Structure formats: C-alpha cells, structure tokens
Amino acid sequence: MMLKLFAQIESALRMLNVENLVIPSVPELVPMWINKYGFTHIESNLMTELIKYNTLMFPSAVRLHKSLVTHAAASAATKSDEANKNGTGLVRGKGYEKLAFFDLNLEPPKEDDDA
C-alpha cells in the first residue's frame, strides 16, 4: 500500500517537473529507503547545489535523494495522453485499470445555453 502511495506522489512530482526528491532519514532507516524506494546517498554536486537553499536538517539525519527525471516520466505522459484520447480516462495495466492524470491546462468543455 505504501509503495502505491509513494509511486503516485512521485508521479505527481514528475508532472510538476520536479527533478530531484531529497529527504532526511535517520541512519537506522537508510537501508529501507535505498532498497525499497530506490533512494541513494546524496551526491556531492547535488549537496553543493542544496547549500544555496534554506533547508531544514535534523541532527544525525542522513540526506538521501532520488532522481525523478527518468524514462518512466516520458512513458507516464504517453499513457496519460492515450487515456485522454480513448475518452475513458483509464490506463490499462497488467490485469488492472487505473485513472490517468488529467491535463489541468485544458479548457473546460463549452456548455450549451439551450436549457
């Protein structure tokens, strides 16, 4: 259940063009974040970039990051376009259907004033 929630959060962040997700973690949970959710230890060039921003860091916390710019983002956009084209708003997966993200920049449909 948590993996599904996290996947949807990542998908929403990708749609907002977020490139990197940086989180603080207690040292005891670092293996879980790395093995289960695909995070890695933060790279030195990203750390120097983060120094420019005002971020909250807890004592003894470890910063982890996950790059959200992947080939998967392009395929998700293709699936969303496919769902919008077929008019159902559903994307077919392996034995399931799920709602696709809708483009919020679309104009609302025009209503007839015949009523």
Side-chain angles (χ1 to χ4, degrees):
M1 182 71 160
M2 188 65 179
L3 288 173
K4 289 181 183 181
L5 173 64
F6 201 75
Q8 290 299 318
I9 291 170
E10 285 181 8
S11 179
L13 290 173
R14 280 189 189 102
M15 289 188 68
L16 295 171
N17 295 324
V18 173
E19 295 177 5
N20 290 300
L21 178 59
V22 178
I23 62 166
S25 174
V26 293
E28 295 84 18
L29 293 180
V30 168
M32 179 204 60
W33 287 110
I34 291 174
N35 297 330
K36 200 168 193 178
Y37 297 104
F39 281 84
T40 59
H41 288 279
I42 199 161
E43 300 165 357
S44 61
N45 59 351
L46 186 57
M47 184 60 90
T48 56
E49 179 77 21
L50 283 175
I51 291 172
K52 299 176 188 175
Y53 301 101
N54 186 13
T55 60
L56 176 65
M57 193 62 188
F58 301 102
S60 75
V62 178
R63 282 187 180 167
L64 300 172
H65 95 286
K66 184 173 187 177
S67 176
L68 298 180
V69 180
T70 62
H71 177 67
S75 67
T78 304
K79 286 181 182 178
S80 178
D81 290 342
E82 175 187 316
N84 288 334
K85 283 180 188 173
N86 69 20
T88 64
L90 296 173
V91 175
R92 295 196 185 279
K94 295 180 180 178
Y96 65 91
E97 291 181 339
K98 65 179 181 178
L99 287 176
F101 283 109
F102 293 100
D103 186 2
L104 298 176
N105 295 318
L106 294 175
E107 293 291 322
K110 305 251 181 192
E111 294 183 14
D112 295 332
D113 293 330
D114 295 336

